[in-house]
Amino acid sequence: MTEIANGNAEETVRASVPAARLGRRSFLATAAATAAATANLAFGRDYGPGAAPVRYPDPDVVVLDPRFAKYKLGNAPIQRLYRGTLWAEGPAWNGVGKYLLWSDIPNNVQHRWLEEDGHVSTFRNPVGNSNGNTFDYQGRQISCQHGHRRVVRYEYDGSMTVLADKWEGKPLNAPNDAVVHPHDGAIWFTDPGYGSLMNYEGVKGPLHIKEAVYRIDAKTGKMDKVADEIYKPNGLCFSPDYKKLYVADTGASHYPDAPKDIKVWDVVDGKTLANRQVFASMELNGKAGFADGIRADEDGNIWASAGWVGEGYDGVHIFAPDGDRIGQILLPEICSNVCFGGTKRNRLFMTASQSLYAVYVETKGAHVS
């Protein structure tokens, strides 16, 4: 019934059933239809299999600045590829297998979406309540495990190598997200500790060390702290030339004085950070949510997942290299993370609460995952 999408679902369904015939069976059927219609309305735009096609250009890909116009494709819709997670996170694209991997942290599983036919299956279970995932330049998967407070690598033979689980003899808080540097294979990761603050996403326990950003030397395994002046470092990414590192700060979730922004550092000699600055504020029209996962495209724009404000804000915010917000991709759910993928790496995948979304854009990801 098209009226359900445009008006009050309950009134429309009831109006379609004469009162005299509203017996027990009709009442149950009506209640079920009402619940289904209300559920669709609660998610805003209908992404279900029976939804009407979106009229091009997609109104939820929003140009805020003329610089973003060239990245919006006039005939590409936002699509929901999967629904059924509790908290979707950590998307990573595997170019050889042509699949997207992502985590469902509370359910302690990793899912896989195949580009070939859109099939979704459970990839790994259990996974230590993994959050962020990526692949190194040898094609091996890197995962940040909340539940075990460690960063791991899955080897070719199916075994698992623990890359980091302690700093100066104390357990890590709960590693969150990771990226790999192509020049030396070093793994950079954040450790804000969210997975240890609740049993829902890990194992509840104290944070023994300051939240920080670390670098693991790929050859020696030596770990170095590269930044700890940020409240809760979350998503991170390099610039296309790897001369800058961007990190989202979500410390306002637990620290009243923490800003809601994205920081940027210069990468010195590929190993250390210097000249910290604020890259972009997450405030928009007087309201500020959180940036979480972030990725750079080949032109140096930063695509940041955004949420915890509501309609008109939640989704993805796109920032030009100078920090100006130039576009948005609006979603009916809080977006946790993003990555570029697909055969041409021109498809933006978005993990958003209970769902996985994707949209083609006229740019490519700057990195392999």
Side-chain angles (χ1 to χ4, degrees):
M1 298 177 63
T2 56
E3 294 88 353
I4 292 179
N6 300 317
N8 184 285
E10 184 174 358
E11 290 180 0
T12 303
V13 173
R14 287 187 180 277
S16 66
V17 183
R21 297 177 55 193
L22 193 59
R24 182 176 181 274
R25 181 174 297 179
S26 297
F27 175 79
L28 292 175
T30 301
T34 301
T38 304
N40 283 335
L41 289 173
F43 275 82
R45 172 172 161 178
D46 186 359
Y47 283 92
V54 64
R55 181 180 294 278
Y56 292 149
D58 194 313
D60 289 330
V61 180
V62 182
V63 176
L64 300 176
D65 183 291
R67 287 173 287 178
F68 184 66
K70 65 180 180 179
Y71 301 115
K72 176 177 178 175
L73 292 169
N75 59 347
I78 303 169
Q79 296 175 297
R80 178 188 279 156
L81 304 181
Y82 180 81
R83 179 177 172 187
T85 54
L86 286 177
W87 183 245
E89 254 283 11
W93 176 255
N94 186 291
V96 175
K98 295 185 178 180
Y99 64 83
L100 183 88
L101 164 79
W102 82 100
S103 300
D104 182 357
I105 303 177
N107 280 318
N108 198 22
V109 300
Q110 293 171 359
H111 293 296
R112 177 176 58 181
W113 175 87
L114 296 178
E115 184 180 50
E116 178 181 359
D117 60 3
H119 177 71
V120 174
S121 61
T122 298
F123 189 54
R124 287 193 175 93
N125 180 17
V127 291
N129 298 107
S130 69
N131 187 334
N133 302 285
T134 192
F135 291 93
D136 66 15
Y137 284 81
Q138 289 73 48
R140 297 170 296 185
Q141 181 188 336
I142 310 293
S143 288
C144 296
Q145 296 184 338
H146 275 182
H148 300 308
R149 299 186 179 218
R150 64 191 187 186
V151 180
V152 302
R153 182 178 65 216
Y154 293 96
E155 308 295 351
Y156 299 130
D157 62 2
S159 63
M160 184 177 64
T161 300
V162 177
L163 301 176
D165 61 357
K166 292 182 176 62
W167 173 250
E168 296 183 339
K170 296 180 181 180
L172 295 174
N173 295 321
N176 191 283
D177 211 350
V179 291
V180 180
H181 199 294
H183 298 163
D184 56 11
I187 299 157
W188 298 59
F189 72 93
T190 58
D191 186 33
Y194 286 110
S196 296
L197 297 176
M198 63 187 87
N199 287 317
Y200 185 60
E201 292 190 12
V203 179
K204 188 174 183 179
L207 304 187
H208 298 285
I209 54 179
K210 174 72 178 69
E211 300 94 329
V213 184
Y214 298 91
R215 174 186 178 273
I216 305 170
D217 188 287
K219 295 180 180 179
T220 66
K222 182 178 181 293
M223 190 168 84
D224 292 303
K225 182 192 291 185
V226 293
D228 66 359
E229 64 269 36
I230 191 169
Y231 283 88
K232 279 191 177 295
N234 202 310
L236 76 170
C237 72
F238 288 109
S239 59
D241 59 7
Y242 292 88
K243 293 182 178 180
K244 295 182 181 298
L245 181 75
Y246 300 87
V247 182
D249 188 351
T250 55
S253 63
H254 289 77
Y255 298 106
D257 296 331
K260 297 177 180 179
D261 60 18
I262 300 172
K263 303 290 199 307
V264 62
W265 288 260
D266 293 329
V267 181
V268 182
D269 299 327
K271 296 182 178 180
T272 59
L273 300 178
N275 304 321
R276 175 177 59 88
Q277 299 179 45
V278 174
F279 169 68
S281 168
M282 291 308 295
E283 182 176 344
L284 177 64
N285 298 326
K287 297 181 179 180
F290 291 103
D292 197 331
I294 55 178
R295 289 291 186 273
D297 67 21
E298 59 186 356
D299 293 332
N301 302 300
I302 301 301
W303 300 63
S305 67
W308 304 102
V309 170
E311 184 178 357
Y313 185 97
D314 295 355
V316 178
H317 294 197
I318 301 90
F319 298 93
D322 62 3
D324 290 345
R325 184 186 280 102
I326 59 174
Q328 287 179 273
I329 298 172
L330 300 177
L331 298 177
E333 304 179 67
I334 294 165
C335 188
S336 65
N337 214 327
V338 297
C339 84
F340 288 94
T343 301
K344 299 178 181 178
R345 295 207 333 277
N346 64 336
R347 197 175 191 185
L348 185 73
F349 292 91
M350 301 162 279
T351 50
S353 305
Q354 300 170 50
S355 306
L356 172 68
Y357 296 88
V359 63
Y360 285 99
V361 293
E362 191 50 34
T363 187
K364 296 180 180 181
H367 316 299
V368 295
S369 179

